[in-house]
Amino acid sequence: MFLRLFDFNQKVNYKNEILAGLTVAMTMIPESLSFAILAGFSPLTGLYAAFIMGFVTAIFGGRPGMVSGGAGATVVVLIALMQSHGMEYVFAAVALAGTLQVLVGLFKLAKFIRLVPQPVMYGFVNGLAVIIFMAQLEQFKAGEGAESVWLSGTRLYIMLGLVLLTVAIVWFFPKFTKAVPASLVAIITIYLLVLGLHIDTKTVRDIASISGGFPPLHIPAVPISWETVKIIFPYSLVMAGVGLVETLLTLNVVDEIVGNRGRGNQESVAQGTANMLNGFFSGMGGCAMIAQTFVNLSAGSRARLSGIIASLTILLVVLFGAPIIERVPMAALVGVMMMVAIGTFEWMSLRIVNKMPKSDILVGVLVAVITVLLHNLALAVLLGVIIAALVFAWESAKRIRARKYVDERGIKHYELYGPLFFGSTMAFMEKFDIASDPKEVILDFKESRVADMSGINALNKLTERYKLAGKTLHLRHLSEDCRTLLKNAGDMIEVNILEDPTYRIPSDMF
């Protein structure tokens, strides 16, 4: 198997890639630290995850330009396991989750992300935008946990002023030049301003120390037994699912922005490999990070180099640059992330809301609300898909119809239009006038298809009713799978094998 990791025909803007990578690293460090501390992990587990996830997926992933790291969506899943069994079980669960993700990619199951409709995508992106924005408000507090209180007085005004200055730079700087990412310019400007004027404000050091060594090889110290598997498997399964849902949805969003298609299965394998390494190199695991991905894309990155630069920068910061990065004002990072949240939000979804079906509006709002309130992306997307599927089934059930006519031989024809499935069987049965029909009837499926066992059962019942009435029903253009199941119809079924429709789904590229 040959993976096209680097497209040497692609024209790479090295300046944009390097600057984008540095900007992404600056925004990823405090976020990874925050999520690690939130879950009760060591701060370095967050940075190790950012390095490992970013480096592996940048090289082997299926979507150049997409950024992965220690994401909160996957970390939140592991909090309960951390509290009940400790960090060693967390590392084991992360490794197992990675294995499951690799299997998804190897068996090419990433294509099922196609089942996610556009309203769910809107809800997912808008919900994440709100989460990103709301998460920044925590930086306006002092203290930790239940003891944290909102800033007040001079400290609040300084923090607010620096954030607004950062937002202004990010907003207006591209109007003058796009040669350098506005986010990086904003971070450097605020850094130098605070350093030069000796402004007392919150810095990265106030979150945690980020000084450490290279990620150490560490085999999780858990008993190798079936009991251990039973403990960690539910967490691993949910983490793998949440990680892939967020990753593949982010990949789809990037596809729309960039204008070409990424490889979902390849990305699944890369994500899984990175998480497996996390489990054995003291990382908390993660997935694609939509906020950092938007930072990367807005900085002009379209290749793999920026992700590699970002991950290596994080490693170098851990090894050597901690004293410098720890002095970066949180206000600068908060302002950048707030602008990312504003850019992430699908404002177009608000402009077209009056043109969308009410069911689509409901689905989009529901997904966004669940994402914001529960931070459970997998549940939000799953419920959205289920509701959208039920709405589709209801609308499709109303569209089944039949054209009726009697030919010159006195045979009555029913030409069916629309799918025959569990939702349309009742309407289907009501279209036949068995008592008044002639001795011979033809039901033509050229413009229809039996979709499930409910449809098969409806055909069996209809055939039996015509048989009891002493009449013959012929079924034409019925697909082969349906004919195989229709055993009760026996000799009364007439099929045209040459014209039977065959439906195939194009397989995904790896």
Side-chain angles (χ1 to χ4, degrees):
M1 181 178 60
F2 175 70
L3 297 180
R4 289 188 296 124
L5 299 179
F6 296 95
D7 183 1
F8 293 104
N9 294 321
Q10 180 185 12
K11 185 177 180 180
V12 177
N13 188 320
Y14 290 97
K15 182 197 70 177
N16 283 355
E17 294 295 321
I18 293 172
L19 294 178
L22 295 174
T23 308
V24 167
M26 292 301 101
T27 59
M28 190 183 296
I29 287 172
E31 188 165 342
S32 298
L33 288 172
S34 298
F35 286 131
I37 294 170
L38 172 68
F41 303 161
S42 164
L44 281 177
T45 62
L47 295 180
Y48 288 156
F51 162 64
I52 296 171
M53 294 297 303
F55 189 74
V56 173
T57 57
I59 296 177
F60 298 104
R63 175 72 270 177
M66 193 165 74
V67 177
S68 295
T74 53
V75 173
V76 169
V77 173
L78 302 172
I79 293 178
L81 180 61
M82 172 66 184
Q83 294 172 344
S84 60
H85 290 83
M87 198 67 209
E88 296 299 324
Y89 279 81
V90 169
F91 289 144
V94 170
L96 180 57
T99 304
L100 296 175
Q101 291 175 329
V102 169
L103 292 176
V104 168
L106 292 178
F107 286 102
K108 299 187 177 182
L109 302 179
K111 60 188 175 185
F112 288 106
I113 199 67
R114 296 172 183 168
L115 298 177
V116 179
Q118 190 63 45
V120 175
M121 293 280 286
Y122 282 146
F124 164 78
V125 172
N126 292 345
L128 278 180
V130 174
I131 288 176
I132 293 168
F133 189 90
M134 296 300 293
Q136 308 315 308
L137 299 182
E138 291 297 314
Q139 302 305 327
F140 287 87
K141 293 181 179 180
E144 297 182 4
E147 299 179 359
S148 63
V149 294
W150 291 99
L151 297 176
S152 60
T154 304
R155 295 189 67 191
L156 174 62
Y157 298 139
I158 291 175
M159 183 77 173
L160 194 58
L162 293 174
V163 169
L164 292 176
L165 179 58
T166 304
V167 169
I169 294 173
V170 174
W171 180 267
F172 289 107
F173 188 80
K175 300 181 186 298
F176 298 99
T177 178
K178 295 183 179 179
V180 182
S183 301
L184 185 60
V185 172
I187 293 172
I188 294 175
T189 302
I190 301 302
Y191 181 92
L192 295 176
L193 182 65
V194 169
L195 196 65
L197 299 179
H198 303 287
I199 298 174
D200 181 19
T201 187
K202 193 174 184 180
T203 63
V204 172
R205 184 191 297 130
D206 295 318
I207 297 180
S209 172
I210 60 175
S211 179
F214 192 85
L217 175 61
H218 173 76
I219 299 176
V222 297
I224 303 177
S225 65
W226 179 244
E227 288 300 318
T228 301
V229 174
K230 287 196 294 184
I231 292 171
I232 66 175
F233 183 78
Y235 296 97
S236 298
L237 183 63
V238 175
M239 178 185 172
V242 170
L244 285 183
V245 166
E246 182 164 357
T247 296
L248 295 175
L249 287 181
T250 302
L251 185 145
N252 278 3
V253 173
V254 177
D255 285 352
E256 293 181 7
I257 295 173
V258 176
N260 53 51
R261 185 182 173 193
R263 294 180 173 86
N265 293 309
Q266 182 176 328
E267 184 64 37
S268 298
V269 173
Q271 291 284 330
T273 303
N275 275 317
M276 290 171 65
L277 290 173
N278 266 287
F280 291 101
F281 283 90
S282 305
M284 67 182 184
C287 63
M289 303 180 76
I290 193 168
Q292 278 68 28
T293 298
F294 272 93
V295 169
N296 196 37
L297 295 177
S298 63
S301 171
R302 293 296 183 270
R304 298 179 183 273
L305 182 59
S306 62
I308 297 173
I309 293 293
S311 58
L312 291 178
T313 300
I314 292 172
L315 178 62
L316 291 174
V317 165
V318 172
L319 297 177
F320 310 110
I324 298 175
I325 302 302
E326 286 176 356
R327 300 180 70 176
V328 172
M330 285 304 302
L333 302 177
V334 167
V336 168
M337 296 306 292
M338 282 185 170
M339 289 302 295
V340 167
I342 293 172
T344 302
F345 196 90
E346 285 281 3
W347 299 101
M348 186 183 69
S349 64
L350 298 182
R351 293 198 296 269
I352 65 173
V353 68
N354 60 336
K355 302 177 183 178
M356 296 170 61
K358 293 181 180 179
S359 58
D360 286 350
I361 297 173
L362 173 64
V363 169
V365 172
L366 180 65
V367 171
V369 169
I370 295 176
T371 301
V372 171
L373 295 183
L374 302 182
H375 289 212
N376 191 329
L377 304 179
L379 176 62
V381 172
L382 179 62
L383 288 179
V385 170
I386 290 174
I387 295 174
L390 291 176
V391 170
F392 173 78
W394 176 258
E395 293 298 324
S396 298
K398 296 189 296 184
R399 289 193 173 93
I400 192 167
R401 60 194 188 278
R403 176 174 174 264
K404 311 171 188 178
Y405 66 92
V406 178
D407 64 17
E408 64 278 2
R409 295 175 297 170
I411 300 175
K412 188 169 184 178
H413 293 253
Y414 287 86
E415 293 183 350
L416 201 64
Y417 297 85
L420 178 58
F421 67 110
F422 67 90
S424 61
T425 53
M426 185 176 295
F428 168 77
M429 296 296 289
E430 292 173 352
K431 297 188 180 300
F432 297 90
D433 186 3
I434 299 176
S436 302
D437 280 349
K439 291 290 184 181
E440 196 167 1
V441 176
I442 294 177
L443 178 55
D444 195 331
F445 278 87
K446 188 175 182 179
E447 301 296 334
S448 180
R449 178 172 173 79
V450 183
D452 60 9
M453 276 304 300
S454 296
I456 297 291
N457 188 51
L459 282 181
N460 281 329
K461 288 181 179 179
L462 184 65
T463 303
E464 290 298 324
R465 289 181 185 180
Y466 273 104
K467 184 178 180 180
L468 290 174
K471 301 174 182 180
T472 302
L473 176 66
H474 301 288
L475 306 181
R476 281 185 177 167
H477 300 126
L478 198 65
S479 58
E480 185 177 354
D481 55 343
C482 301
R483 288 187 290 112
T484 302
L485 294 173
L486 279 170
K487 296 178 180 179
N488 292 339
D491 296 333
M492 292 181 297
I493 298 178
E494 176 186 84
V495 293
N496 188 332
I497 298 176
L498 294 177
E499 296 184 21
D500 279 343
T502 301
Y503 301 88
R504 300 185 185 278
I505 299 176
S507 60
D508 281 354
M509 295 176 63
F510 189 82

